[in-house]
Amino acid sequence: AVVSTQSGHYGRDLRNMSNSDFYLRYYVGHKGKFGHEFLEFEFRPDGKLRYANNSNYKNDTMIRKECNVNIPVLKELARIIEESEIMYEDDKMWPAPDRIGRQELEIVHKNQHICFNTSKIGSLVDVNASKDPDGLRAFYYLVQDLKCFVFSLIGLHFKIKPI
């Protein structure tokens, strides 16, 4: 994991940030037979939620959505992060990104900036077989919670046809 207290995403200076400032970005994807397929979302401190899902399977098109969320939503997101204790983890013992794909999680919260990079995780079997099952399990469950949270927010703001 890359941890910094000097500068954050987009060149923000974290030393001057208040505890209420918050940034989160998650990416999972791979490059394969159908091109670059990925899911990515980010929450910005101003409340903007950006979501992108690119799948070329059966000539599907990229879905891009943006909306604004209010402070209670950002506070709930921060609570989820804090309860996961992910900010205490380190990804150095996690599986490195490979041809199957990669996951990235970047968080700026309470004057901390952390970035995780690992391979795609198929199931808890992969987590338990890793060199750091406890840390990777915290990441795995946090990602599941974040995806559910984002899909709920996007579903509330936009009518997306089910697959």
Side-chain angles (χ1 to χ4, degrees):
V2 176
V3 180
S4 170
T5 56
Q6 297 301 313
S7 64
H9 198 68
Y10 302 122
R12 291 188 309 248
D13 186 349
L14 296 182
R15 292 170 295 183
N16 297 325
M17 293 176 76
S18 70
N19 284 346
S20 65
D21 285 330
F22 182 84
Y23 175 82
L24 181 140
R25 183 185 64 83
Y26 173 73
Y27 165 90
V28 60
H30 69 277
K31 293 178 181 142
K33 184 164 83 169
F34 300 106
H36 185 200
E37 297 183 296
F38 65 89
L39 166 73
E40 183 173 33
F41 54 82
E42 75 174 349
F43 288 88
R44 295 184 180 175
D46 63 0
K48 182 164 292 227
L49 164 59
R50 297 180 66 214
Y51 168 89
N53 190 342
N54 187 41
S55 173
N56 297 320
Y57 180 69
K58 293 187 178 178
N59 295 320
D60 206 356
T61 58
M62 184 180 309
I63 299 169
R64 285 190 184 272
K65 300 290 180 187
E66 285 189 14
C67 62
N68 290 307
V69 297
N70 58 17
I71 291 172
V73 171
L74 291 177
K75 284 186 177 180
E76 177 62 13
L77 189 59
R79 185 195 65 76
I80 292 168
I81 296 295
E82 289 169 9
E83 284 190 6
S84 76
E85 298 186 344
I86 197 70
M87 302 300 277
Y88 303 109
E89 298 299 339
D90 191 323
D91 65 356
K92 68 182 172 197
M93 301 296 283
W94 297 358
D98 55 22
R99 64 174 185 77
I100 294 170
R102 72 182 298 120
Q103 294 185 84
E104 300 171 2
L105 179 63
E106 179 179 9
I107 302 169
V108 176
H109 181 51
K110 290 190 175 180
N111 296 329
Q112 281 189 290
H113 181 195
I114 195 154
C115 299
F116 296 103
N117 289 291
T118 190
S119 64
K120 281 184 166 181
I121 301 170
S123 69
L124 280 175
V125 172
D126 298 335
V127 170
N128 293 331
S130 74
K131 294 178 183 174
D132 178 16
D134 292 335
L136 197 55
R137 189 176 300 108
F139 177 84
Y140 177 82
Y141 283 124
L142 174 61
V143 165
Q144 299 305 312
D145 291 345
L146 293 174
K147 285 181 183 179
C148 287
F149 192 68
V150 168
F151 293 150
S152 295
L153 290 169
I154 295 296
L156 286 169
H157 282 280
F158 304 99
K159 195 71 171 170
I160 297 178
K161 294 178 185 175
I163 298 174

